[in-house]
Amino acid sequence: MTRRVIDFHCDVLYKMLYEGKVNISQEDLMDVTIPRLRQGNVGIQVLALFLEPHLLTGPPRFSQALRAIDLYREHIQSHEDVIDIRWQEDLVRWNEQPDKLGMILSLEGVDALEGDMVYLRTIYELGVRFLGLAWNNANWAVDGAQEPRKAGFTREGITLIQECDRLGITLDVSHLNEKAFWQLLELTDKPIIASHSNSAYIMPHVRNLTDEQIRAIIARDGRIGVTYVPYFVAEKGRVEIEDLVRHIDRICELGGHNHIMLGSDFDGIDKKIVGLEHAGMHGELLSVLDKNYGAAFTDEIASGNAKRFLAAHLPRREQ
């Protein structure tokens, strides 16, 4: 069977919502399109709902989240090649149809939930299965990684964590500040993910994870999606695939060989790693990993680690 890729983060819905680019079948319209997913042997793509704060309109509202989900349903979920994955049963159905593209929704930053747990339950019913607690700034629940205050969770944020645990929504720490990261681990005993973050030991950026954070995610049997964002990878003009591999090496050194996955951030970045310019090029990274690690381990990074996590933590339909 052809190796299939699972990518845990892209921003194609952002471009649909804010730039009006809705033709997912037009190959060169965006980084992530149906033809490019096919070219890159992508089996499952996680689609982030990133709703942009604006100086004139204020923070994102719940209506914007609904519009983004509506665009997904109208232009992606309706595609004949796509399986919408919400439940463990959907994952089984996808696994039995290797010609299909699985799609899963995540929320990147909880601003648009407006502190209302009814809104959280609504997006869960509409298919959101992963939740990034913040983007870079502060919101009603917690501070993001680039908020100068770097505070932990509010009372409403703690309620949010409890409700996500009850529903079966997995929490994503990629944009959390470090204080909030450690507080989260005290507030939940569930596995967590960092959908698109790299190693701060290799590249000391505020969006990357310290060795201690990586070990903590591993200890929870969580997952880390190494990301293709060049300025999270290396501090130089021309960032290459080998620079990204250094992050994978470091996570493996910390015991994370069963916990690494991919989190490209395609359509959320303008500058690209050389050789990883769009979703059709995941194979370029995997070819390098084949040479460094061998095919069996590369298969785990490409999809095996992510697939096991989905199988264990997607909710069952009858729950």
Side-chain angles (χ1 to χ4, degrees):
M1 180 181 293
T2 302
R3 170 187 287 159
R4 292 201 280 180
V5 169
I6 298 177
D7 178 5
F8 248 74
H9 191 85
C10 81
D11 282 307
V12 66
L13 290 176
Y14 173 90
K15 289 187 174 178
M16 285 187 166
L17 182 64
Y18 292 103
E19 300 179 12
K21 297 179 178 179
V22 297
N23 186 1
I24 195 73
S25 295
Q26 182 179 330
E27 179 174 352
D28 60 354
L29 187 65
M30 295 172 286
D31 298 339
V32 174
T33 60
I34 296 293
R36 285 180 165 173
L37 291 169
R38 292 294 192 198
Q39 181 186 350
N41 291 323
V42 176
I44 294 176
Q45 179 68 64
V46 178
L47 305 171
L49 301 168
F50 172 60
L51 306 170
E52 189 170 43
H54 195 281
L55 290 176
L56 295 178
T57 59
R61 313 306 295 179
F62 186 61
S63 60
Q64 292 175 264
L66 293 181
R67 288 182 184 278
I69 294 172
D70 187 65
L71 285 168
Y72 164 69
R73 297 176 74 166
E74 182 72 16
H75 298 284
I76 300 178
Q77 183 183 338
S78 63
H79 196 286
E80 62 182 2
D81 290 344
V82 168
I83 291 179
D84 178 49
I85 298 178
R86 306 182 184 196
W87 313 101
Q88 289 186 21
E89 292 86 348
D90 298 325
L91 185 68
V92 171
R93 185 162 58 94
W94 166 82
N95 200 47
E96 294 170 347
Q97 301 180 72
D99 59 323
K100 296 294 186 180
L101 294 166
M103 300 286 181
I104 310 176
L105 292 176
S106 68
L107 180 66
E108 186 174 19
V110 301
D111 308 60
L113 297 182
E114 303 178 36
D116 193 329
M117 296 305 106
V118 172
Y119 290 168
L120 175 68
R121 291 190 285 274
T122 299
I123 64 167
Y124 173 79
E125 292 299 329
L126 292 173
V128 171
R129 291 296 178 264
F130 303 98
L131 188 141
L133 291 153
W135 188 57
N136 289 327
N137 306 317
N139 59 42
W140 56 266
V142 70
D143 282 5
Q146 294 184 359
E147 183 66 36
R149 180 178 56 178
K150 299 192 183 305
F153 288 90
T154 64
R155 288 190 182 92
E156 293 86 356
I158 293 171
T159 299
L160 173 73
I161 293 167
Q162 294 168 343
E163 188 66 359
C164 285
D165 282 357
R166 186 186 72 81
L167 291 169
I169 296 176
T170 296
L171 298 173
D172 181 354
V173 301
S174 271
H175 281 275
L176 276 187
N177 72 79
E178 190 170 354
K179 176 180 178 179
F181 175 94
W182 294 112
Q183 186 182 7
L184 175 64
L185 292 186
E186 295 176 355
L187 292 168
T188 180
D189 59 0
K190 304 289 186 182
I192 58 175
I193 65 168
S195 64
H196 56 305
S197 295
N198 291 333
S199 163
Y201 179 87
I202 300 298
M203 177 60 191
H205 191 285
V206 68
R207 275 278 286 100
N208 285 338
L209 300 164
T210 67
D211 285 357
E212 291 74 19
Q213 288 176 300
I214 291 170
R215 289 191 183 100
I217 293 172
I218 292 168
R220 288 284 179 97
D221 197 26
R223 296 293 185 272
I224 300 164
V226 291
T227 188
Y228 305 175
V229 181
Y231 39 92
F232 298 166
V233 175
E235 192 172 9
K236 60 181 183 177
R238 180 184 170 92
V239 179
E240 300 177 327
I241 290 174
E242 288 74 12
D243 297 310
L244 180 58
V245 172
R246 295 175 61 215
H247 291 265
I248 294 173
D249 289 341
R250 183 59 182 175
I251 296 170
C252 287
E253 289 170 3
L254 298 171
H257 52 284
N258 291 325
H259 305 86
I260 304 172
M261 57 185 189
L262 304 178
S264 70
D265 209 1
F266 282 137
D267 286 308
I269 47 177
D270 295 323
K271 187 179 178 183
K272 310 289 176 61
I273 294 174
V274 177
L276 287 176
E277 285 86 4
H278 58 71
M281 304 184 77
H282 289 289
E284 300 300 314
L285 169 61
L286 301 183
S287 292
V288 174
L289 295 178
D290 277 334
K291 295 175 183 176
N292 286 20
Y293 294 107
F297 183 48
T298 301
D299 287 346
E300 295 299 285
I301 295 175
S303 62
N305 292 336
K307 183 179 172 183
R308 285 196 307 277
F309 189 87
L310 292 171
H313 299 292
L314 282 175
R316 295 188 65 83
R317 189 183 300 274
E318 62 264 23
Q319 286 183 343

